[in-house]
PDB file of all heavy atoms in Angstrom:
ATOM      1  N   GLU A  98      71.942  82.576 118.201  1.00 98.00           N
ATOM      2  CA  GLU A  98      70.752  82.557 119.021  1.00 98.00           C
ATOM      3  C   GLU A  98      71.049  81.912 120.383  1.00 98.00           C
ATOM      4  O   GLU A  98      70.647  82.390 121.455  1.00 98.00           O
ATOM      5  CB  GLU A  98      69.671  81.718 118.321  1.00 98.00           C
ATOM      6  CG  GLU A  98      68.350  82.477 118.165  1.00 98.00           C
ATOM      7  CD  GLU A  98      67.393  81.642 117.369  1.00 98.00           C
ATOM      8  OE1 GLU A  98      67.434  81.742 116.106  1.00 98.00           O
ATOM      9  OE2 GLU A  98      66.629  80.876 117.972  1.00 98.00           O
ATOM     10  N   LYS A  99      71.774  80.802 120.300  1.00 98.00           N
ATOM     11  CA  LYS A  99      72.151  80.076 121.528  1.00 98.00           C
ATOM     12  C   LYS A  99      73.068  80.984 122.411  1.00 98.00           C
ATOM     13  O   LYS A  99      72.917  81.034 123.617  1.00 98.00           O
ATOM     14  CB  LYS A  99      72.904  78.817 121.134  1.00 98.00           C
ATOM     15  CG  LYS A  99      73.103  77.864 122.247  1.00 98.00           C
ATOM     16  CD  LYS A  99      73.790  76.560 121.761  1.00 98.00           C
ATOM     17  CE  LYS A  99      74.559  75.949 122.901  1.00 98.00           C
ATOM     18  NZ  LYS A  99      75.607  75.035 122.510  1.00 98.00           N
ATOM     19  N   ALA A 100      73.983  81.686 121.728  1.00 98.00           N
ATOM     20  CA  ALA A 100      74.916  82.543 122.474  1.00 98.00           C
ATOM     21  C   ALA A 100      74.191  83.698 123.165  1.00 98.00           C
ATOM     22  O   ALA A 100      74.428  83.981 124.337  1.00 98.00           O
ATOM     23  CB  ALA A 100      75.990  83.064 121.551  1.00 98.00           C
ATOM     24  N   TYR A 101      73.281  84.358 122.426  1.00 98.00           N
ATOM     25  CA  TYR A 101      72.540  85.464 123.049  1.00 98.00           C
ATOM     26  C   TYR A 101      71.789  84.965 124.280  1.00 98.00           C
ATOM     27  O   TYR A 101      71.807  85.581 125.346  1.00 98.00           O
ATOM     28  CB  TYR A 101      71.530  86.102 122.086  1.00 98.00           C
ATOM     29  CG  TYR A 101      72.149  87.061 121.089  1.00 98.00           C
ATOM     30  CD1 TYR A 101      71.990  86.890 119.688  1.00 98.00           C
ATOM     31  CD2 TYR A 101      72.854  88.193 121.521  1.00 98.00           C
ATOM     32  CE1 TYR A 101      72.516  87.790 118.777  1.00 98.00           C
ATOM     33  CE2 TYR A 101      73.388  89.092 120.606  1.00 98.00           C
ATOM     34  CZ  TYR A 101      73.232  88.901 119.239  1.00 98.00           C
ATOM     35  OH  TYR A 101      73.742  89.779 118.329  1.00 98.00           O
ATOM     36  N   LYS A 102      71.162  83.825 124.126  1.00 98.00           N
ATOM     37  CA  LYS A 102      70.379  83.296 125.266  1.00 98.00           C
ATOM     38  C   LYS A 102      71.282  83.013 126.461  1.00 98.00           C
ATOM     39  O   LYS A 102      71.035  83.428 127.593  1.00 98.00           O
ATOM     40  CB  LYS A 102      69.612  82.037 124.861  1.00 98.00           C
ATOM     41  CG  LYS A 102      68.869  81.460 126.049  1.00 98.00           C
ATOM     42  CD  LYS A 102      67.746  80.496 125.714  1.00 98.00           C
ATOM     43  CE  LYS A 102      66.913  80.155 126.912  1.00 98.00           C
ATOM     44  NZ  LYS A 102      67.573  80.164 128.200  1.00 98.00           N
ATOM     45  N   MET A 103      72.410  82.331 126.169  1.00 98.00           N
ATOM     46  CA  MET A 103      73.337  82.001 127.250  1.00 98.00           C
ATOM     47  C   MET A 103      73.834  83.279 127.954  1.00 98.00           C
ATOM     48  O   MET A 103      73.824  83.363 129.206  1.00 98.00           O
ATOM     49  CB  MET A 103      74.536  81.243 126.682  1.00 98.00           C
ATOM     50  CG  MET A 103      75.644  81.003 127.653  1.00 98.00           C
ATOM     51  SD  MET A 103      77.077  80.172 126.898  1.00 98.00           S
ATOM     52  CE  MET A 103      77.902  81.546 126.085  1.00 98.00           C
ATOM     53  N   LEU A 104      74.194  84.271 127.140  1.00 98.00           N
ATOM     54  CA  LEU A 104      74.774  85.465 127.707  1.00 98.00           C
ATOM     55  C   LEU A 104      73.729  86.305 128.457  1.00 98.00           C
ATOM     56  O   LEU A 104      74.008  86.871 129.538  1.00 98.00           O
ATOM     57  CB  LEU A 104      75.422  86.318 126.583  1.00 98.00           C
ATOM     58  CG  LEU A 104      76.607  85.634 125.893  1.00 98.00           C
ATOM     59  CD1 LEU A 104      76.884  86.315 124.566  1.00 98.00           C
ATOM     60  CD2 LEU A 104      77.824  85.657 126.796  1.00 98.00           C
ATOM     61  N   TYR A 105      72.509  86.403 127.904  1.00 98.00           N
ATOM     62  CA  TYR A 105      71.481  87.181 128.575  1.00 98.00           C
ATOM     63  C   TYR A 105      71.070  86.498 129.894  1.00 98.00           C
ATOM     64  O   TYR A 105      70.806  87.179 130.900  1.00 98.00           O
ATOM     65  CB  TYR A 105      70.250  87.390 127.663  1.00 98.00           C
ATOM     66  CG  TYR A 105      70.521  88.342 126.512  1.00 98.00           C
ATOM     67  CD1 TYR A 105      69.656  88.434 125.410  1.00 98.00           C
ATOM     68  CD2 TYR A 105      71.631  89.212 126.527  1.00 98.00           C
ATOM     69  CE1 TYR A 105      69.869  89.321 124.362  1.00 98.00           C
ATOM     70  CE2 TYR A 105      71.872  90.090 125.460  1.00 98.00           C
ATOM     71  CZ  TYR A 105      70.986  90.147 124.387  1.00 98.00           C
ATOM     72  OH  TYR A 105      71.220  91.011 123.360  1.00 98.00           O
ATOM     73  N   ASP A 106      71.096  85.186 129.923  1.00 98.00           N
ATOM     74  CA  ASP A 106      70.814  84.477 131.173  1.00 98.00           C
ATOM     75  C   ASP A 106      71.867  84.802 132.231  1.00 98.00           C
ATOM     76  O   ASP A 106      71.541  85.020 133.412  1.00 98.00           O
ATOM     77  CB  ASP A 106      70.771  82.934 130.963  1.00 98.00           C
ATOM     78  CG  ASP A 106      69.454  82.510 130.304  1.00 98.00           C
ATOM     79  OD1 ASP A 106      68.537  83.346 130.203  1.00 98.00           O
ATOM     80  OD2 ASP A 106      69.376  81.318 129.875  1.00 98.00           O
TER      81      ASP A 106
END
Side-chain angles (χ1 to χ4, degrees):
E98 234 175 273
K99 192 177 152 200
Y101 280 124
K102 177 161 191 329
M103 172 183 81
L104 296 163
Y105 289 165
D106 283 350

